[in-house]
DNA sequence: GTCGTGCGCCTAGAGATATTAGGCAATTAT
DNA sequence: ATAATTGCCTAATATCTCTAGGCGCACGAC
């Protein structure tokens, strides 16, 4: 009965890696157990159930994404910061598609509050420091930015931009230009 | 052995309704069979497998959404058209959450081509007629608009805007104002 | 060092879902 | 009316989730 050194953390990371390989929907207790060479039942000492496992992957991914974005954002301001944030966000989604998909899991309010979701909002607000926006315009702008980032990445991943000549990279760059324009010319209420 | 009058179409609609009730992930062959009071196996004369069933729901939803948007768009132009499109899009997602979730299913390129996805792009382009945009700016703008619509709706649905005072409706309205501004001031390449 | 004790992984098993193969009866075509 | 077809059935297998309970290895207590 060789011990495999299972841990909630190690199981979560393995599940996240698996998600990146085969898609977040493929993250199954059986599949992760297979990775470790143990029986399905053995994982239930470390995770509560599949939902718990997937939630843990989501929380992990949110934290990692926040780290990546924070690193890219360091020392930048204005449009520079906007582009750095956006590119880091999109790059993470590209490099870790399964983890990124996990970040879109609907979390319990308590779990969400304890997660890195707040860091995302804070960093988005930090970008806006380079633009002159008061509340509630700032909140509206945060939501717009997040919508564009997530929406673009999500549509790009689900193949929404494939049937045309225009490269997805080029449109992304122009979308950021457009956001910069609108943040500088935010319409009055 | 009473016949239930199963049809691919009726099965698909039942699956879509079920999706709206319990979520798109809950759309299962067994669950739909239960709705009709037949055995699971009986559905396989009408659908190929679960994936096929879900794809059919997605295609149905794309067509319905296109219908709703087209109706809202009729006779409008400029910002009026932009707001009508966006509101119809968001309203559909709110009223038919399961169907809307289905529209984000990754479709095979052939299926996607045969679906109403093209109508969506065409209608988005129609909006842009009210703004002076040439290619490739037009394609970039289409992608930006779609990203905002989908991104906002998706984040709203997954609870992203819950922890603040600002109403989701208000931010949505301002996001559309912002899009109008940027379409009128599209940055030069 | 050895002796527990507990933790880590196991076996066993039940319930759901997906899917295939093949059958009989109800409907439709002739 | 009879033949052909179609619609739903039973049966069976595989995969996945999850619970209950067991056994031994590794650690701390002494």
């Amino acid at each position: 009965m060789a011990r495999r050194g299972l841990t909630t953390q190690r199981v979560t990371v393995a599940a996240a890696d698996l998600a990146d390989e085969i898609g977040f929907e493929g993250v199954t207790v059986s599949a992760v157990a297979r990775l470790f060479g143990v029986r399905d039942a053995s994982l239930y000492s470390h995770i509560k159930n599949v939902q718990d496992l997937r939630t843990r992957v989501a929380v992990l991914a949110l934290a990692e994404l926040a780290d990546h974005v924070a690193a890219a954002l360091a020392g930048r301001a204005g449009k520079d910061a906007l582009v750095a944030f956006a590119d880091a966000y999109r790059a993470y989604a590209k490099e870790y598609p399964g983890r990124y998909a996990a970040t879109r899991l609907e979390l319990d309010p308590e779990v969400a509050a304890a997660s890195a979701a707040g860091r995302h909002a804070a960093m988005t607000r930090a970008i806006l420091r380079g633009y002159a926006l008061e509340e509630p315009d700032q909140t509206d702008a945060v939501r717009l930015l997040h919508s564009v980032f997530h929406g673009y990445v999500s549509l790009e991943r689900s193949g929404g931009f494939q049937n045309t000549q225009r490269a997805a990279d080029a449109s992304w760059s122009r979308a950021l230009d457009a956001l910069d324009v609108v943040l500088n010319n935010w319409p009055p209420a």
Side-chain angles (χ1 to χ4, degrees), chain A residues 8 12 46-58:
Chain A
T8 302
T12 303
H46 305 283
I47 57 162
K48 217 170 116 266
N49 50 40
V50 211
Q51 192 53 40
D52 177 50
L53 175 62
R54 295 201 172 128
T55 299
R56 285 177 191 282
V57 174

Side-chain angles (χ1 to χ4, degrees), chain A residues 14-15 18 22 26-38 40 43 53:
Chain A
L18 184 64
I22 65 171
V27 172
T28 200
V29 176
S30 305
V32 175
R34 231 173 281 131
L35 284 182
F36 282 102
V38 301
D40 300 5
L43 293 188
L53 175 62

Side-chain angles (χ1 to χ4, degrees), chain A residues 36-124:
Chain A
F36 282 102
V38 301
R39 298 304 182 132
D40 300 5
S42 305
L43 293 188
Y44 286 87
S45 321
H46 305 283
I47 57 162
K48 217 170 116 266
N49 50 40
V50 211
Q51 192 53 40
D52 177 50
L53 175 62
R54 295 201 172 128
T55 299
R56 285 177 191 282
V57 174
V59 170
L60 171 73
L62 281 169
E64 286 183 0
L65 176 55
D67 289 344
H68 281 236
V69 169
L73 212 50
R76 296 180 199 275
K79 190 184 174 186
D80 238 29
L82 173 67
V83 171
F85 185 123
D87 283 345
Y89 187 99
R90 180 158 170 256
Y92 184 86
K94 262 201 160 65
E95 188 171 355
Y96 306 103
R99 282 168 155 87
Y100 181 74
T103 66
R104 296 278 34 96
L105 193 65
E106 186 156 2
L107 300 178
D108 293 334
E110 5 165 322
V111 176
S115 79
R119 287 176 64 199
H120 290 255
M123 288 190 291
T124 311

